[in-house]
Amino acid sequence: MPVNQDVIITCALTGAGDTVGRSPHVPVTPEQIAASAVEAAEAGAAVVHIHVREPETGAPSRDPRLYRQVVERIRETGTDVVINLTAGMGGDLVIDPEAPLRQLPGTDLVSGLDRLPHVEELLPDICTLDCGSLNFGDGSNLYVSTPDMLRTGAKRIQELGVRPELEIFDTGQLWFAKQLLAERLLDDPTVFQLCMGIPWGAPADPGVLQSMVNMLPRGAQWASFALGRMQMPWVAQSILLGGHVRVGLEDNLYLGKGVKATNGQLVERAVRITESLGSRVATPDEAREKLGLRPRS
């Protein structure tokens, strides 16, 4: 697999994790998230991946009004960046291990279609599709995305003309994503995000990444990321295997030991790594062409 010469950098701005109290740089309000998107774009990100949070508490949200505020604020600035909205919220199930049919606080579990109202309303360039269920960390937390949910969601995203970014947390999920392609519920070019190091999915192991890359359908565009201190090594790892990259505060809060990062700083470092490998950073228009997106309106 050749080194990727034209690298799309995605910045995942805030995520849904319990990170707000761990860094003052994690954006919470729509104003902060939009400003962080602009900062990331100016630093070299062609794509921004967007979650929203409840402004008062920082808790994760799937409120379409918050997504609209973020997207409108980004667009009002005139910043040229590809908008990627998560559609993964609504899959969280926390069970009582002694009474597994009883749901515990933290559960937010809805149907595949009910994860898409903000996508239907805003028609972003990209939305994510998390391609399977997962034991999500220790304890009794599950992420639920069944084959039936995925088929329903993929069909609706296809009808909307939005490009799904296929979030892959393990090899079985990649196998099922290829099944969606075989069933014509996905259009070419397929776009994959290989998510490494999330307990208990695929480990951040270069051999595992290589195996997943070997499984990708012909002509797929793909990126990969890893969590925490592995974020920046994974920038190089992905480029060397022919892929694109993702950085951002969703996945890592630090520039170095004890040094809290901003999204812009993480993108700047990814740019330096990309260029040090002899590759160049793709512009938003180049990203749109590679990913089969609509031209900027």
Side-chain angles (χ1 to χ4, degrees):
M1 183 72 67
V3 174
N4 187 3
Q5 297 296 318
D6 298 291
V7 177
I8 299 169
I9 297 177
T10 293
C11 186
L13 301 172
T14 188
D18 186 19
T19 55
V20 172
R22 295 165 53 198
S23 171
H25 303 305
V26 174
V28 173
T29 67
E31 295 85 355
Q32 292 169 345
I33 296 168
S36 199
V38 172
E39 175 196 18
E42 291 176 346
V47 182
V48 287
H49 174 57
I50 298 170
H51 287 249
V52 294
R53 295 176 179 268
E54 294 294 339
E56 296 80 13
T57 65
S61 175
R62 49 187 174 86
D63 186 340
R65 294 172 298 175
L66 296 175
Y67 282 103
R68 173 168 286 284
Q69 290 175 39
V70 173
V71 171
E72 288 181 345
R73 286 176 182 276
I74 295 171
R75 289 173 174 165
E76 285 169 0
T77 69
T79 301
D80 186 11
V81 69
V82 175
I83 301 292
N84 176 345
L85 299 185
T86 184
M89 302 300 294
D92 297 311
L93 173 62
V94 186
I95 66 169
D96 183 337
E98 302 302 322
L101 294 180
R102 185 162 72 91
Q103 299 177 8
L104 296 180
T107 294
D108 179 28
L109 184 58
V110 298
S111 72
L113 287 182
D114 286 337
R115 302 178 195 188
L116 295 174
H118 60 300
V119 176
E120 294 175 329
E121 179 180 344
L122 298 173
L123 298 178
D125 302 292
I126 301 169
C127 74
T128 60
L129 184 66
D130 292 19
C131 288
S133 301
L134 184 73
N135 287 329
F136 205 86
D138 282 330
S140 297
N141 301 331
L142 305 172
Y143 183 80
V144 178
S145 191
T146 68
D148 283 345
M149 288 176 174
L150 285 165
R151 287 186 171 97
T152 300
K155 181 179 180 181
R156 183 59 181 143
I157 293 167
Q158 187 180 56
E159 291 169 349
L160 294 170
V162 174
R163 180 70 63 193
E165 181 185 74
L166 306 167
E167 303 283 297
I168 305 296
F169 294 85
D170 215 341
T171 52
Q173 298 185 7
L174 179 49
W175 183 11
F176 186 74
K178 292 168 69 175
Q179 179 63 27
L180 292 177
L181 181 62
E183 294 175 14
R184 299 185 179 181
L185 292 170
L186 302 173
D187 298 321
D188 288 322
T190 46
V191 177
F192 288 81
Q193 183 70 253
L194 307 179
C195 312
M196 317 294 287
I198 294 91
W200 296 104
D205 178 286
V208 175
L209 179 60
Q210 178 69 78
S211 295
M212 294 173 80
V213 171
N214 291 344
M215 290 177 64
L216 291 169
R218 185 181 299 275
Q221 293 287 329
W222 68 275
S224 182
F225 71 89
L227 298 187
R229 64 183 183 86
M230 293 301 292
Q231 183 174 82
M232 291 305 162
W234 225 251
V235 170
Q237 188 67 64
S238 297
I239 294 170
L240 292 172
L241 289 180
H244 305 291
V245 304
R246 167 172 141 173
V247 295
L249 294 175
E250 176 172 349
D251 309 317
N252 166 48
L253 300 177
Y254 293 91
L255 275 177
K257 187 173 182 179
V259 181
K260 301 287 178 66
T262 67
N263 278 312
Q265 289 170 333
L266 293 172
V267 173
E268 288 169 356
R269 182 160 293 182
V271 169
R272 290 199 297 272
I273 294 170
T274 300
E275 293 176 342
S276 72
L277 293 173
S279 300
R280 59 180 295 277
V281 175
T283 68
D285 277 342
E286 290 167 337
R288 291 182 183 98
E289 183 175 358
K290 283 179 177 290
L291 302 179
L293 306 178
R294 299 180 298 267
R296 187 187 187 200
S297 57

